[in-house]
């Protein structure tokens, strides 16, 4: 195949651990994610000059919604992705990847918020019927505070649906508002730039020799972003030569397939097969990336499995949950390869998007190495969907 040529190294991938603003921004976003996962509300200052109280829809309770309304002085509404709105049968005009705001004449109840956010709680017909009883409005603009709020839920590996209530107080009073109610405050611009900043601040934590059954000359290098969020691992087999294109595999973690041997996917065979093939070739690197379920997290992947049990494919399951078909980003992979001294790879993949993204982020893909394993009787539909819906090459 024709190699994909690396562009000049993007500035966001230049390691710069002496940049305190990057670390502070990452820390604030990471703490806000933890607050949402605990079910607490956070104060989000949008790039559009507005300030929102934000809570994850799946954690909503009658008490938490009432408290949001009391503190903000506004009726909370439900912000969801246009993908989720479409699954509910709602028409949302505007650009792809947009946000829809659902409201009601009275406060959106906790049960309604959870039912509209989570398609595994009720039937599609029942959810669509309930959705028709609420108002729907598009949220326009990349700088919209609601967009950052939904992205924050995604980063926290929660459903992309949040309750939001706009704070009526002037901007000068927002810090005092946060202190009054003991709320963690986060900047929407930092949420939007989280992936870029996390990749920029990746650093090597430790390296150790770990002989593997199929590759005894192996060492594992752990990388961590400076906010302390989940680590990515580089499994380096042999001594890859930085001067030539390095045999490489980007493997997204898969608890069910890699660890449990699930037959629903081909992840386990791909992981073990890549290690074996790299060892047989003499050297190479496998990046084990912390982006379970195409970047939606393990719990949401299990929700997608539940939907697939009802008859839809892996792509439509992600869309029904409100995600894009693939939420993964490859900035960390590019940063890790560069930190290891590799700028050219022979990539073991069936996914053209991986090749394009690596090239976009400064890594030359000199060749694609076919990486295919036979179906096992349980994953035929999954493999077919990857080929027909996601453009994978088999």
């Amino acid at each position: 195949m024709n190699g994909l040529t690396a562009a000049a190294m993007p500035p966001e991938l230049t390691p710069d651990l002496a940049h305190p603003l990057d670390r502070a921004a990452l820390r604030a976003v990471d703490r806000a994610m933890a607050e949402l996962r605990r079910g607490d509300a956070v104060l989000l200052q949008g790039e559009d000059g507005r300030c929102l109280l934000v809570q994850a829809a799946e954690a909503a309770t009658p008490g938490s919604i009432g408290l949001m309304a009391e503190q903000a002085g506004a009726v909370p509404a439900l912000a969801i992705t246009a993908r989720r709105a479409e699954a509910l049968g709602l028409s949302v005009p505007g650009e792809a990847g947009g946000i829809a705001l659902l409201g009601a004449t009275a406060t959106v109840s906790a049960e309604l918020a959870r039912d509209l956010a989570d398609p595994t709680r009720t039937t599609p017909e029942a959810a669509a019927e309930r959705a028709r009883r609420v108002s729907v409005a598009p949220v326009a603009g990349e700088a919209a505070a609601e967009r950052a709020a939904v992205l924050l839920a995604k980063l926290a590996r929660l459903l992309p649906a949040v309750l939001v209530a706009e704070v009526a107080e002037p901007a000068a009073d927002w810090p005092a508002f946060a202190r009054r109610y003991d709320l963690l405050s986060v900047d929407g611009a930092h949420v939007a730039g989280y992936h870029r900043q996390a990749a920029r601040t990746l650093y090597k934590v430790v390296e150790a020799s770990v002989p593997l059954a199929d590759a005894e000359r192996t060492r594992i290098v752990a990388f961590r972003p400076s906010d302390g969020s989940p680590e990515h691992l580089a499994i380096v087999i042999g001594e890859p030569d930085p001067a030539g294109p390095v045999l490489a595999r980007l493997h997204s973690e898969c608890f069910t397939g890699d660890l449990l041997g699930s037959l629903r996917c081909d992840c386990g065979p791909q992981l073990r097969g890549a290690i074996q093939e790299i060892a047989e070739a003499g050297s190479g690197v496998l990046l084990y990336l912390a982006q379970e379920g195409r970047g939606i997290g393990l719990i949401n992947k299990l929700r997608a499995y539940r939907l697939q049990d009802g008859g839809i494919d892996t792509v439509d399951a992600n869309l029904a949950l409100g995600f894009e078909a693939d939420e993964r980003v490859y900035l960390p992979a590019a940063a890790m390869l560069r930190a290891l001294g590799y700028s050219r790879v022979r990539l073991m993949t069936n996914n053209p998007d991986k090749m394009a993204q690596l090239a976009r982020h400064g890594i030359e893909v000199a060749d694609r190495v076919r990486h295919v394993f036979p179906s096992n009787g349980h994953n035929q539909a999954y493999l077919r969907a990857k080929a027909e819906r996601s453009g994978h090459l088999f």
Side-chain angles (χ1 to χ4, degrees):
M1 59 159 283
N2 292 327
L4 297 181
T5 302
M9 183 178 176
E12 66 265 25
L13 296 185
T14 307
D16 183 6
L17 298 181
H19 206 306
L21 291 180
D22 284 353
R23 292 201 301 272
L26 284 168
R27 229 175 12 248
V29 177
D30 192 56
R31 289 172 177 172
M33 287 190 272
E35 292 289 285
L36 290 191
R37 290 179 65 86
R38 278 194 293 267
D40 294 330
V42 300
L43 193 67
L44 187 145
Q45 300 174 30
E47 295 180 82
D48 58 1
R50 298 159 56 238
C51 188
L52 302 178
L53 265 180
V54 180
Q55 185 193 27
E58 62 184 276
T61 67
S64 69
I65 293 179
L67 185 61
M68 284 182 68
E70 178 184 336
Q71 291 176 345
V75 175
L78 180 67
I80 61 176
T81 64
R83 292 291 192 189
R84 179 62 189 142
E86 183 180 353
L88 289 167
L90 301 173
S91 175
V92 182
E95 71 278 9
I99 302 297
L101 198 62
L102 307 186
T105 54
T107 302
V108 175
S109 71
E111 182 181 7
L112 177 60
R114 293 197 302 270
D115 284 351
L116 296 183
D118 186 353
T120 67
R121 283 178 52 89
T122 185
T123 66
E125 295 76 19
E129 173 59 31
R130 299 198 73 184
R132 282 193 286 270
R133 302 176 189 175
V134 302
S135 63
V136 56
V139 175
E142 291 292 329
E146 289 86 355
R147 183 183 293 275
V150 171
L151 177 57
L152 183 63
K154 282 187 178 185
L155 292 172
R157 299 298 187 259
L158 299 167
L159 289 167
V162 290
L163 285 157
V164 295
E166 185 169 353
V167 174
E169 299 192 22
D173 296 336
W174 292 345
F177 180 92
R179 291 191 297 270
R180 186 187 321 145
Y181 295 114
D182 192 25
L183 295 166
L184 191 147
S185 182
V186 66
D187 191 320
H190 294 164
V191 174
Y194 180 82
H195 283 309
R196 175 182 57 80
Q197 293 189 21
R200 178 179 181 175
T201 63
L202 271 177
Y203 65 98
K204 185 170 75 171
V205 180
V206 66
E207 176 178 340
S209 174
V210 183
L212 304 178
D214 293 318
E216 293 189 19
R217 294 175 58 242
T218 295
R219 65 186 192 275
I220 294 181
V221 186
F223 289 86
R224 177 185 290 160
S226 62
D227 66 335
S229 59
E231 294 87 3
H232 304 287
L233 304 174
I235 301 170
V236 183
I237 298 170
E239 296 295 336
D241 182 2
V246 173
L247 184 60
R249 164 81 183 157
L250 310 185
H251 188 92
S252 300
E253 67 180 350
C254 177
F255 171 79
T256 50
D258 298 341
L259 195 61
L260 301 182
S262 168
L263 301 177
R264 294 189 72 134
C265 63
D266 58 346
C267 298
Q270 284 189 330
L271 173 63
R272 289 179 286 277
I275 290 172
Q276 184 176 19
E277 186 170 343
I278 292 172
E280 290 173 354
S283 67
V285 60
L286 184 146
L287 301 187
Y288 197 78
L289 303 169
Q291 43 189 16
E292 178 89 41
R294 296 198 189 99
I296 69 175
L298 177 59
I299 300 301
N300 288 322
K301 184 177 83 168
L302 294 176
R303 286 176 167 135
Y305 281 175
R306 176 79 175 270
L307 297 178
Q308 291 170 42
D309 290 341
I312 66 176
D313 68 27
T314 181
V315 172
D316 284 334
N318 278 24
L319 300 180
L321 288 168
F323 295 99
E324 295 302 311
D326 193 335
E327 293 276 350
R328 290 174 292 184
V329 296
Y330 294 99
L331 277 166
M336 291 166 69
L337 287 169
R338 286 202 175 271
L340 293 167
Y342 311 136
S343 59
R344 301 174 64 226
V345 296
R346 297 175 57 238
L347 192 62
M348 304 170 67
T349 188
N350 308 316
N351 185 354
D353 186 53
K354 285 184 181 180
M355 298 186 291
Q357 287 213 39
L358 274 188
R360 189 177 306 127
H361 299 311
I363 300 297
E364 179 184 342
V365 181
D367 193 14
R368 180 182 82 89
V369 178
R370 189 170 179 266
H371 196 56
V372 177
F373 297 86
S375 63
N376 56 38
H378 294 268
N379 62 9
Q380 295 100 325
Y382 169 78
L383 296 176
R384 184 168 58 251
K386 288 209 296 185
E388 296 177 356
R389 303 290 305 279
S390 300
H392 286 214
L393 306 171
F394 290 103

